[in-house]
Amino acid sequence: MQNTYTRDRPSPRYERLLRLYRQIHVEGEAFRGLSPEHVFPGKSLPPQAHHIKRLIGECGARTLLDYGSGKGQQYRYWPYRDAEGNTYPHLQAYFGVDVTCYDPGYAPFSTLPAGPFDGVVCTDVLEHVPEEDVPWVLAELFGYARAFVFANVACFPAAKRLPNGQNAHCTVKPVGWWRREVQRAAAARPGVRYEVRLVERDGAGRPVESVLADDAAAGKGKA
């Protein structure tokens, strides 16, 4: 898709959706009866944390941008237990790096960060971005990163509904589509590693994960 929209000139649909996300961050999600504090608190990141920790170690990262962090509670309140049984008070302690949160839909983290950062993570975000805006958002992720980009994407509809009744996953695409978009963005930043985990559903509704990675990360991103 031709990249006709930019950060300074996003699509009208992006701007409409952003207003809706700002609304549910403040008012909660009526469709599932969720109070504001339970809307996008940051729960999508912990299942991916061990992959991110591996990339932090391999790249020697010291700074991290969580792009689309939600309310960022994962870095302040929730204990995290790793595969070896070690317990950390929160994910910032587990990662052992300085973390910056950015989320345009959540007022406390809505200021665009200055960057760059050693690593950029983006979990449960890209499928919420309108298709026509995905190219510039991916370019922005890679543009912020010195060493690596990590993302995961759900390739199926969400349980969440927006205040207008729309499914929260507005861009539901197959793995091949995402592969092309990611590789196009990565080509402009050849020194930046990437690992993107895409989850589809099989005929029985079970999750099936595919991993897109650059040559440097290939073979290491399967853990």
Side-chain angles (χ1 to χ4, degrees), residues 15-218:
E15 294 180 321
R16 289 195 299 270
L17 286 172
L18 183 54
R19 288 193 292 269
L20 292 173
Y21 281 113
R22 288 171 175 167
Q23 179 182 341
I24 63 174
H25 265 294
V26 173
E27 299 178 2
E29 186 193 344
F31 180 76
R32 294 195 298 164
L34 295 178
S35 59
E37 62 268 24
H38 293 110
V39 173
F40 299 115
K43 287 186 177 179
S44 63
L45 186 63
Q48 308 297 330
H50 62 296
H51 301 307
I52 297 166
K53 176 74 169 180
R54 168 176 44 80
L55 287 167
I56 289 171
E58 290 172 1
C59 296
R62 296 189 177 185
T63 59
L64 195 71
L65 171 64
D66 189 327
Y67 188 110
S69 62
K71 292 183 171 69
Q73 294 178 8
Q74 65 273 33
Y75 298 114
R76 293 176 288 170
Y77 307 125
W78 301 338
Y80 180 80
R81 186 180 180 88
D82 67 14
E84 288 73 42
N86 303 306
T87 301
Y88 300 82
H90 42 64
L91 279 182
Q92 174 130 4
Y94 173 62
F95 289 154
V97 299
D98 181 48
V99 177
T100 296
C101 290
Y102 168 68
D103 195 303
Y106 182 55
F109 298 147
S110 62
T111 299
L112 196 66
F117 304 86
D118 295 328
V120 176
V121 302
C122 184
T123 58
D124 190 22
V125 172
L126 291 170
E127 61 269 45
H128 296 262
V129 176
E131 177 180 350
E132 57 268 34
D133 295 276
V134 166
W136 72 258
V137 172
L138 281 171
E140 193 161 86
L141 294 181
F142 278 88
Y144 270 120
R146 294 190 188 97
F148 75 86
V149 170
F150 176 89
N152 78 314
V153 182
C155 301
F156 50 84
K160 287 186 177 66
R161 294 290 186 274
L162 299 177
N164 64 357
Q166 178 182 334
N167 192 278
H169 290 177
C170 66
T171 299
V172 177
K173 294 290 184 178
V175 168
W177 187 89
W178 285 106
R179 183 186 303 276
R180 291 189 296 272
E181 294 298 325
V182 169
Q183 290 177 341
R184 185 178 295 115
R189 296 280 290 163
V192 176
R193 290 176 56 175
Y194 63 87
E195 182 173 320
V196 180
R197 292 177 172 263
L198 304 171
V199 181
E200 298 177 293
R201 300 284 194 194
D202 67 12
R206 295 181 296 252
V208 178
E209 185 178 73
S210 299
V211 181
L212 310 182
D214 65 316
D215 291 340

